[in-house]
Amino acid sequence: MKDRIIAVLIFAVIYMTVWLSIFVFTYKNSKVKNKISMFISTHTGLSASYAYSLFATIYYCIMPLIGGIVIMKMAGLNFFDIFHRGSDNILRTFLCFVTGELVVMSIVAVPMVIYAVLHPEVRIDEAIKDINWISGISRLPGKIPMLIPCISACCEEFFFRVVLFVVLIALGMPALYAMIIVTLLFVINQVVLTKNGLQAFVLGVSSFCISLVSCLLIVITGNVIASFVIHASFAGFYANGGK
């Protein structure tokens, strides 16, 4: 089991590094971004103004799904093994979500309020809007920008908590160690996409709290559904300017 845990962790770290490196490289390299935009626009007829944002969104959602499926296969688990535990009780699932949401909001609020008091001139909501992936999806047409953050959050949740965390525990790793590792990887995943200290602070604190609470809920109840909703609600909140 120990060898399988190590193999899963090595794969997860390498996979996450490749996933994020490609993503960051494409949006930081204007030449590559323009080529992708023109290629998509030429072959699909979509406007070049949001073609790259569409590509980045699809890429960012697909990668954690593929990675999660591979990790499940490495551990010998399937979707039923992951999702059936604790999800048969709708009321319990709802209570898990409400409890987790309130706890995360309460914990996150403290450092945010302290920062706002110490730096009253800073608009945290404006800083968050300037994060690359958030500003990118705002270019997409219609109501899509309202939905994409929630969808991408669910894809991230699938990779980190629903699969990686559950798999590590299933393979014999103590829950505390699995929680620390998954939370660390998730925070890195979020912070690496920011452009300045304030963005890193906000997403770092939020990611830490979301991961910690979601992991605890999974350990206590065995339910993974609530973690999707908690993460998606926060992503939607931030991406839509805290509205």
Side-chain angles (χ1 to χ4, degrees):
M1 283 293 187
K2 187 175 181 180
D3 291 341
R4 295 175 75 183
I5 290 175
I6 294 173
V8 165
L9 286 176
I10 291 175
F11 171 80
V13 171
I14 293 175
Y15 187 85
M16 192 182 86
T17 301
V18 173
W19 156 26
L20 293 177
S21 295
I22 294 174
F23 184 75
V24 172
F25 173 75
T26 58
Y27 76 62
K28 282 190 174 181
N29 191 308
S30 299
K31 185 179 293 186
V32 173
K33 183 186 291 187
N34 290 336
K35 285 183 177 180
I36 292 173
S37 296
M38 293 308 299
F39 178 84
I40 295 175
S41 180
T42 301
H43 289 81
T44 64
L46 294 173
S47 171
S49 63
Y50 61 79
Y52 172 77
S53 295
L54 182 62
F55 159 80
T57 297
I58 294 174
Y59 170 82
Y60 194 84
C61 289
I62 287 178
M63 288 299 283
L65 295 180
I66 295 174
I69 292 172
V70 172
I71 290 174
M72 280 196 300
K73 295 298 182 183
M74 292 176 67
L77 299 179
N78 56 45
F79 284 96
F80 181 77
D81 296 326
I82 298 290
F83 285 96
H84 86 282
R85 300 179 307 162
S87 60
D88 54 336
N89 190 313
I90 297 177
L91 177 59
R92 182 167 61 180
T93 300
F94 176 74
L95 291 176
C96 283
F97 157 64
V98 173
T99 302
E101 191 80 13
L102 291 174
V103 171
V104 173
M105 289 175 63
S106 300
I107 298 174
V108 170
V110 175
M112 296 302 128
V113 170
I114 293 175
Y115 188 94
V117 170
L118 296 176
H119 304 278
E121 74 284 357
V122 176
R123 288 287 303 275
I124 294 179
D125 57 330
E126 293 298 327
I128 295 303
K129 286 181 182 178
D130 192 43
I131 294 175
N132 285 301
W133 69 267
I134 293 179
S135 61
I137 61 174
S138 65
R139 299 188 182 96
L140 294 172
K143 300 293 185 180
I144 296 178
M146 298 178 63
L147 299 175
I148 293 302
C150 300
I151 295 173
S152 62
C154 288
C155 294
E156 289 176 336
E157 198 64 26
F158 177 77
F159 179 82
F160 288 103
R161 252 85 53 195
V162 174
V163 174
L164 182 57
F165 180 65
V166 171
V167 162
L168 290 176
I169 293 176
L171 292 178
M173 178 179 284
L176 177 61
Y177 295 164
M179 190 183 307
I180 292 172
I181 291 172
V182 168
T183 298
L184 177 62
L185 290 176
F186 181 58
V187 170
I188 292 173
N189 168 269
Q190 298 298 303
V191 171
V192 76
L193 301 178
T194 61
K195 296 191 292 186
N196 55 55
L198 176 57
Q199 293 177 354
F201 169 73
V202 174
L203 287 196
V205 170
S206 301
S207 302
F208 174 82
C209 295
I210 289 171
S211 184
L212 186 65
V213 172
S214 295
C215 286
L216 285 172
L217 283 176
I218 292 172
V219 170
I220 295 170
T221 68
N223 190 305
V224 299
I225 305 300
S227 65
F228 280 112
V229 186
I230 292 171
H231 190 174
S233 64
F234 265 80
F237 176 80
Y238 280 129
N240 289 286
K243 298 177 182 179

